[in-house]
Amino acid sequence: MTLLTREQMAQRIARELEDGFYVNLGIGIPTLVANYIPENISIVLQSENGLLGIGPFPIDGQEDADLINAGKQTITTIPEASFFSNADSFAMIRGGHIDLTVLGALEVDQEGNLANWMIPGKMVKGMGGAMDLVAGTKRVIVCMQHKNKAGESKILKKCSLPLTGVKCVNKIVTDMAVLEFTKEGLKLLEKAPGITVEEIKNSTEADLIIEGEIPDMIF
Amino acid sequence: MNKIIKSALESIKDIKDGDTLMLGGFGLCGIPENLIFALREKGIKNLTCISNNAGVNDFGIGLLLQQKQVKKMISSYVGENDLFERMVLSGELEIELVPQGTLAERIRAGGAGIGGFYTPTGVGTIIADGKETKIIDGREYILELPLKADFSLIKGYIGDTSGNLVYRKTARNFNPMMATAGRITIAEVEEIVEIGILNPEEVITPGIYVKRLIKGEHYQKRIEQKTVRKV
């Protein structure tokens, strides 16, 4: 069984982007999505610390301490960029003006609940902007490994960890599959090449809707 | 009206033990470096600090944590500071975590005379515990209350002698809201100009909010995650 790499997951998520989307990418694998934006569409990336219009990373020597993304990485801006305060940034997010956000997760459950900020008993680093993003963004895609390091499913019947948001996830892209929340429940849409539906079922605690032939992911 | 104070230390002379401070910045970007050094030099203790992050071990608010000057932090993310982690686990430091957008809006509300607001952020999570909820147009919201401070310590790019401020790039972040929510707001800037130089159309923080202004003497402007493109 060959699981997808981080880059392949990012490539698959990039196919969810539509021309004209304003997008907020979380830290980690979601950030990699920016490397795979299709050439024929135009996307504007938002950074919750107060920038609309993130550009590529700077050339060595041209980094600017006053210009960072939410992951505190040095960045550049695109020509149509604008700067604003965190209050304005989260008005933009909470107000439903951002089309899509991509976030990592510790757990997702079959109700679409998300847990990605806290493990009781371990040091709590904080939720940052995640709770606001999932409460306000039009579409939420979770990007994560299908199973945790202990080999247990991260897609559960019910989240066990403290939640980030309730019924907020639209789609999950993992290293094994693409799944979508529908009115009927969590539906298996695509499988990673070389992975069988049986393997996905065995790796998923949540109830899955599996209808017909499940196609391979296209990157 | 001249608001310029000669030194950072003089500008914070009436901050006392137990005060609540707001400190601008996101990570180490747009933090009031010189004012933080002055707080450290003065050695004021038992501070409650409202700031999105807690600096790193040896810079930003981390400098105040090292000296055990902080009693409580109100922040959204404190992950870059392992000194912080040790102090929380040992009970030396209290932490209140607030979702970032809620933190920004509570500060804005504090400065704008708003008694509270209903937000969808955190509904159904432990953040909602004990808070009033309300259904508006079929959606659930929680009531969040404003934040104010005895002093707000902020960082601008250029200020004029009347206290008008402009910011630079993403160093703006929490600074404009905090400027409005402190009983006394002290701003440090990289350059001070005479009135009339800043374009009124481009002023972000009007001078009414800034009681004291200093020119920061030293800026390290540390970068947390230098990330560059392969050429």
Side-chain angles (χ1 to χ4, degrees):
Chain A
M1 185 162 72
T2 313
L3 300 172
L4 295 188
T5 63
R6 290 158 55 89
E7 282 72 20
Q8 285 172 314
M9 290 161 71
Q11 266 178 287
R12 175 59 191 83
I13 291 166
R15 290 176 55 83
E16 301 287 321
L17 302 172
E18 293 176 28
D19 191 33
F21 263 18
Y22 291 93
V23 179
N24 182 297
L25 299 174
I27 294 162
I29 304 172
T31 306
L32 300 174
V33 175
N35 299 336
Y36 300 105
I37 298 170
E39 278 179 11
N40 57 342
I41 66 169
S42 170
I43 295 293
V44 179
L45 298 175
Q46 200 248 20
S47 191
E48 61 260 33
N49 55 322
L51 165 62
L52 197 58
I54 304 175
F57 292 122
I59 292 165
D60 198 1
Q62 291 184 9
E63 64 277 3
D64 182 341
D66 287 338
L67 185 50
I68 61 168
N69 64 16
K72 284 97 180 176
Q73 295 172 306
T74 48
I75 47 165
T76 61
T77 52
I78 59 172
E80 63 261 50
S82 54
F83 295 113
F84 34 84
S85 73
N86 273 69
D88 290 331
S89 178
F90 280 93
M92 200 178 278
I93 289 167
R94 214 188 295 105
H97 306 283
I98 303 291
D99 296 291
L100 171 70
T101 188
V102 184
L103 297 164
L106 296 164
E107 294 174 350
V108 181
D109 70 25
Q110 62 194 36
E111 301 292 322
N113 299 321
L114 167 70
N116 78 349
W117 73 285
M118 182 182 179
I119 301 173
K122 290 202 177 171
M123 175 60 193
V124 179
K125 293 178 188 294
M127 68 294 281
M131 285 192 182
D132 306 278
L133 279 160
V134 299
T137 308
K138 287 181 194 155
R139 205 167 156 70
V140 175
I141 297 181
V142 161
C143 173
M144 64 178 188
Q145 269 77 35
H146 207 98
K147 296 188 282 189
N148 64 22
K149 282 179 186 146
E152 299 155 342
S153 174
K154 292 173 72 176
I155 305 173
L156 306 173
K157 290 188 192 301
K158 193 170 171 49
C159 286
S160 65
L161 296 171
L163 297 180
T164 307
V166 173
K167 294 185 181 166
C168 58
V169 180
N170 299 102
K171 206 171 238 187
I172 312 173
V173 176
T174 75
D175 47 5
M176 298 181 78
V178 178
L179 307 109
E180 184 167 45
F181 287 90
T182 67
K183 278 182 191 144
E184 293 72 37
L186 182 59
K187 190 171 176 183
L188 178 62
L189 291 188
E190 300 168 22
K191 58 191 181 62
I195 304 251
T196 65
V197 171
E198 205 56 33
E199 284 170 327
I200 293 167
K201 274 164 72 178
N202 291 339
S203 305
T204 309
E205 186 199 287
D207 297 328
L208 292 181
I209 299 170
I210 302 170
E211 289 172 352
E213 197 69 18
I214 303 299
D216 276 353
M217 280 187 215
I218 297 168
F219 301 101
Chain B
M1 199 185 299
N2 194 333
K3 299 179 174 179
I4 298 169
I5 308 285
K6 287 221 160 52
S7 74
L9 208 51
E10 192 188 334
S11 77
I12 63 154
K13 63 178 188 301
D14 47 354
I15 300 183
K16 56 186 190 309
D17 288 355
D19 275 351
T20 295
L21 309 182
M22 287 185 184
L23 296 110
F26 183 95
L28 298 179
C29 180
I31 61 171
E33 294 184 23
N34 290 273
L35 293 169
I36 291 171
F37 273 110
L39 288 173
R40 180 180 159 107
E41 194 176 331
K42 192 162 182 238
I44 315 152
K45 289 200 166 21
N46 285 321
L47 296 169
T48 295
C49 292
I50 302 169
S51 182
N52 189 55
N53 311 96
V56 294
N57 285 0
D58 62 346
F59 202 57
I61 292 174
L63 293 171
L64 306 179
L65 297 171
Q66 275 182 353
Q67 303 268 60
K68 303 195 192 316
Q69 292 175 260
V70 183
K71 175 184 67 179
K72 180 179 178 182
M73 288 291 314
I74 301 177
S75 304
S76 87
Y77 189 79
V78 292
E80 283 92 0
N81 190 325
D82 53 30
L83 170 68
F84 187 100
E85 180 167 343
R86 288 200 300 277
M87 291 179 75
V88 170
L89 292 173
S90 69
E92 286 175 275
L93 182 64
E94 196 185 332
I95 167 84
E96 178 183 337
L97 290 167
V98 180
Q100 198 179 129
T102 298
L103 181 64
E105 192 64 12
R106 288 179 68 190
I107 296 166
R108 200 194 71 80
I114 301 291
F117 57 92
Y118 289 96
T119 178
T121 301
V123 167
T125 76
I126 59 173
I127 292 304
D129 289 353
K131 288 176 184 156
E132 186 189 312
T133 63
K134 194 169 186 134
I135 308 285
I136 303 170
D137 283 339
R139 187 168 189 197
E140 189 174 341
Y141 293 80
I142 59 179
L143 175 66
E144 293 283 3
L145 301 177
L147 283 170
K148 293 182 190 180
D150 297 307
F151 293 86
S152 283
L153 276 50
I154 65 161
K155 159 71 174 51
Y157 178 42
I158 302 171
D160 71 20
T161 54
S162 75
N164 290 318
L165 302 180
V166 295
Y167 300 90
R168 187 168 178 274
K169 301 186 179 181
T170 54
R172 185 183 308 187
N173 54 61
F174 280 83
N175 287 296
M177 297 85 77
M178 288 183 173
T180 70
R183 189 174 51 80
I184 292 177
T185 290
I186 308 167
E188 64 169 82
V189 292
E190 294 175 46
E191 188 185 349
I192 296 177
V193 297
E194 291 302 318
I195 53 173
I197 301 291
L198 293 178
N199 180 352
E201 301 278 8
E202 290 167 6
V203 169
I204 302 295
T205 292
I208 189 170
Y209 297 113
V210 177
K211 296 285 187 297
R212 301 171 192 164
L213 184 68
I214 65 155
K215 182 179 183 301
E217 287 181 6
H218 305 287
Y219 282 104
Q220 293 187 26
K221 288 202 179 186
R222 282 204 206 168
I223 291 173
E224 274 180 77
Q225 305 282 343
K226 178 178 164 176
T227 311
V228 296
R229 181 183 346 161
K230 289 193 190 83
V231 186

